[in-house]
Amino acid sequence: MILGTIMGTVVSTRKCRNLVGFKLLLVEPYYGDKKDIFVAADTIGAGIGELVLVTTDNTTQYALDRSAPVDAYIVGIVDAPPQPGR
Amino acid sequence: MILGTIMGTVVSTRKCRNLVGFKLLLVEPYYGDKKDIFVAADTIGAGIGELVLVTTDNTTQYALDRSAPVDAYIVGIVDAPPQPGR
Amino acid sequence: MILGTIMGTVVSTRKCRNLVGFKLLLVEPYYGDKKDIFVAADTIGAGIGELVLVTTDNTTQYALDRSAPVDAYIVGIVDAPPQPGR
Amino acid sequence: MILGTIMGTVVSTRKCRNLVGFKLLLVEPYYGDKKDIFVAADTIGAGIGELVLVTTDNTTQYALDRSAPVDAYIVGIVDAPPQPGR
Amino acid sequence: MILGTIMGTVVSTRKCRNLVGFKLLLVEPYYGDKKDIFVAADTIGAGIGELVLVTTDNTTQYALDRSAPVDAYIVGIVDAPPQPGR
């Protein structure tokens, strides 16, 4: 999974009906290249600035109640920035 | 998902029969390396210059009425460029 | 999907039986890093120098008559190099 | 699969219910760009500093007793750093 | 698929039971960044120094007799290094 920081929201009025009901959040990777910002679906209620755990590709489906065309999904809010060695 | 800008169309006369009926659009990533242009299938009707939301890999299938060999699919048209912090 | 140019063929005599019957073609990405050459399976009959459309990962399976261990498959031959803005 | 070194743990109290029961570990790639640290789920009991083998994407599911939204899973602890040529 | 050269073997005593029976081989990409060495499962019997064809992600499963948590699998041994233009 990827650790990322919530940067903002994405609003899409004309969208696929299977996307309705998801909040779409901009996520900046915590490790690696911070410019590779992506969009993750959220139902947990992550807020701007929070550090989250994102799963990708088809494994998103195992967190959902029904199938949805989302290749990144927020599966957890991280309690504190990780401290290598602990 | 990836945010991208529609750059143009791709025309393919000799193609897999399961691709028939999809518009094939060139998409430039909005974040990250803009040279990594790719092709996404579209049925929403996105136009050149519009900012779109693209899902990838097998999760494309959850937006389709029938299975199709497309690893990138436009699932939404974004209302306005995202403003980090909102 | 990825746009790529056919560079040559790959011959493998000792191979997985589910790969029998596919032509294996070297593909150079048209956009992005041209050094990231990969191998795609083909049944359409793409020739060297042709510009093709490749789908990846599990979505290859939706173009096949039977499942096969191929993570890149040529789903179309592109009529002409894309012209951004059209 | 990816070879990586365990760097630490990630704690998430508010998380998807299908993630409960997994240890979440920070993994630094052993080859390639060491900055691309990611999070893998673990049930084998890998410890900090150990070299592990990680499978990714949907193939994680074939190691699990029940489906879970994890795109990286530790499938083995490596006995010793690999020695190219052996 | 990816072309790669076998560099060595990886030994893991404590591993997921679904990995038992596979040889785990270090593979160096033939094209692209040679530092991105990865591990592929093998049952064909590829040897050190041989050039192989590797399929990735979930498509590995279509080469296997039973599902296994491997995201890279050697599906063929290449007869000779590819010669672009042939």
Side-chain angles (χ1 to χ4, degrees), chain D residues 1 56 62 75 77 79 85-86, chain E residues 7 9 11 13 16 18 39 71:
Chain D
M1 286 77 78
T56 63
Y62 308 118
V75 289
I77 297 174
D79 292 5
R86 293 198 187 182
Chain E
M7 304 300 285
T9 57
V11 180
T13 304
C16 173
N18 293 0
V39 179
D71 64 8

Side-chain angles (χ1 to χ4, degrees), chain A:
Chain A
M1 287 76 78
I2 300 166
L3 282 182
T5 308
I6 305 296
M7 303 300 285
T9 57
V10 172
V11 180
S12 169
T13 304
R14 283 168 65 195
K15 68 184 157 196
C16 173
R17 66 173 183 275
N18 293 359
L19 265 192
V20 174
F22 291 103
K23 200 162 181 183
L24 301 171
L25 296 176
L26 273 185
V27 181
E28 179 190 78
Y30 186 77
Y31 293 110
D33 193 337
K34 290 190 189 304
K35 281 173 296 189
D36 289 336
I37 292 169
F38 61 94
V39 178
D42 178 54
T43 57
I44 290 182
I48 290 174
E50 281 192 297
L51 188 63
V52 295
L53 188 64
V54 180
T55 202
T56 63
D57 288 341
N58 205 60
T59 65
T60 55
Q61 305 303 307
Y62 308 117
L64 304 177
D65 293 325
R66 54 175 175 77
S67 293
V70 299
D71 64 8
Y73 186 75
I74 295 171
V75 289
I77 297 174
V78 177
D79 293 6
Q83 296 181 289
R86 294 198 188 181

Side-chain angles (χ1 to χ4, degrees), chain D:
Chain D
M1 286 77 78
I2 300 167
L3 282 182
T5 308
I6 305 295
M7 304 300 285
T9 57
V10 172
V11 180
S12 169
T13 305
R14 283 168 65 194
K15 68 184 158 197
C16 171
R17 67 172 183 275
N18 293 359
L19 266 193
V20 174
F22 291 104
K23 200 162 179 182
L24 301 170
L25 296 175
L26 273 185
V27 181
E28 180 190 78
Y30 186 77
Y31 293 111
D33 193 338
K34 290 190 189 303
K35 281 174 295 188
D36 289 336
I37 292 169
F38 61 94
V39 178
D42 178 53
T43 56
I44 290 183
I48 290 174
E50 281 192 298
L51 188 63
V52 295
L53 188 64
V54 180
T55 201
T56 63
D57 288 342
N58 206 59
T59 65
T60 55
Q61 305 303 307
Y62 308 118
L64 305 177
D65 293 325
R66 54 175 175 75
S67 292
V70 299
D71 63 9
Y73 186 76
I74 295 171
V75 289
I77 297 174
V78 176
D79 292 5
Q83 297 180 288
R86 293 198 187 182

Side-chain angles (χ1 to χ4, degrees), chain E residues 18-66:
Chain E
N18 293 0
L19 266 191
V20 174
F22 292 104
K23 200 161 180 184
L24 301 171
L25 297 175
L26 273 185
V27 181
E28 180 190 80
Y30 186 78
Y31 294 110
D33 193 338
K34 289 190 190 304
K35 282 173 296 188
D36 288 337
I37 292 169
F38 61 94
V39 179
D42 178 54
T43 58
I44 290 183
I48 290 175
E50 281 191 301
L51 189 63
V52 296
L53 188 64
V54 180
T55 201
T56 62
D57 288 342
N58 206 59
T59 65
T60 55
Q61 306 302 307
Y62 308 117
L64 305 176
D65 293 324
R66 54 175 175 76

